[in-house]
Amino acid sequence: MPQIPQTLNELSVGQLSARSGAAVSALHFYESKGLISSRRTSGNQRRYSRDALRRVAFVRAAQRVGIPLATIRDALASLPEERTPNREDWARLSEAWRQELDERIKQLHRLRDHLTDCIGCGCLSLENCVLSNPDDISGERITGSRLMPERKQGPAAGEGNG
């Protein structure tokens, strides 16, 4: 792993990539999503502060456990600027995600336990399908085999509150 002198306060994108293990394209993507930031030199080159190393490690660890980038961005925004996130920061932020991760684990266990039945059916709308139709909620409205529609997240675009 390339060593970066302690006296070097800013890193080029290549140095950040080499040290963090993240591809340059990933770093540019992270920056476009507001996960890390850089300044531009007079030659229009990106320069990252040293704390970007810890932030990139934080992003990659959070991604590995399935935390959405928007959630990661919000978490990083809660940290003071120009300060390397530390163990206490990680503990506080990861504790906030624990309930979400526990719920995902529960859903994955349910998926694993019932996957054979669901795939065997093929229609994804078994009368008592615990994956697509828990408690036969669709049976109250429709009959017969139907491919279950995707569930919408929040109000549809263009809908107001009144």
Side-chain angles (χ1 to χ4, degrees), residues 16-58:
L16 183 58
S17 173
R19 186 67 196 269
S20 69
V24 169
S25 59
L27 296 174
H28 290 171
F29 177 75
Y30 292 163
E31 189 170 358
S32 75
K33 296 299 180 187
L35 300 167
I36 59 175
S37 61
S38 68
R39 73 168 188 86
R40 296 288 183 144
T41 66
S42 59
N44 202 30
Q45 295 177 333
R46 288 180 168 94
R47 291 293 183 259
Y48 297 90
S49 61
R50 288 185 69 87
D51 71 297
L53 279 168
R54 184 69 56 90
R55 289 174 186 267
V56 169
F58 178 89

Side-chain angles (χ1 to χ4, degrees), residues 39-149:
R39 73 168 188 86
R40 296 288 183 144
T41 66
S42 59
N44 202 30
Q45 295 177 333
R46 288 180 168 94
R47 291 293 183 259
Y48 297 90
S49 61
R50 288 185 69 87
D51 71 297
L53 279 168
R54 184 69 56 90
R55 289 174 186 267
V56 169
F58 178 89
V59 170
R60 295 182 79 197
Q63 282 185 298
R64 277 193 291 276
V65 297
I67 303 298
L69 286 180
T71 304
I72 298 169
R73 183 185 58 240
D74 293 345
L76 287 171
S78 73
L79 300 175
E81 285 294 316
E82 303 302 320
R83 179 175 68 74
T84 301
N86 58 32
R87 183 180 303 274
E88 290 79 24
D89 295 326
W90 174 249
R92 179 176 47 84
L93 295 173
S94 63
E95 182 60 34
W97 297 335
R98 183 176 297 279
Q99 183 177 354
E100 180 181 342
L101 291 173
D102 287 343
E103 183 58 34
R104 282 193 202 164
I105 290 167
K106 194 165 85 175
Q107 289 172 352
L108 286 170
H109 282 165
R110 193 168 71 214
L111 173 62
R112 180 202 61 207
D113 294 345
H114 297 284
L115 190 59
T116 301
D117 293 339
C118 189
I119 289 174
C121 167
C123 73
L124 299 180
S125 62
L126 287 170
E127 219 174 83
N128 293 313
C129 181
V130 297
L131 301 176
S132 296
N133 190 14
D135 301 320
D136 194 22
I137 57 174
S138 296
E140 297 170 7
R141 296 173 294 162
I142 58 174
T143 59
S145 295
R146 305 219 198 272
L147 183 62
M148 302 301 288

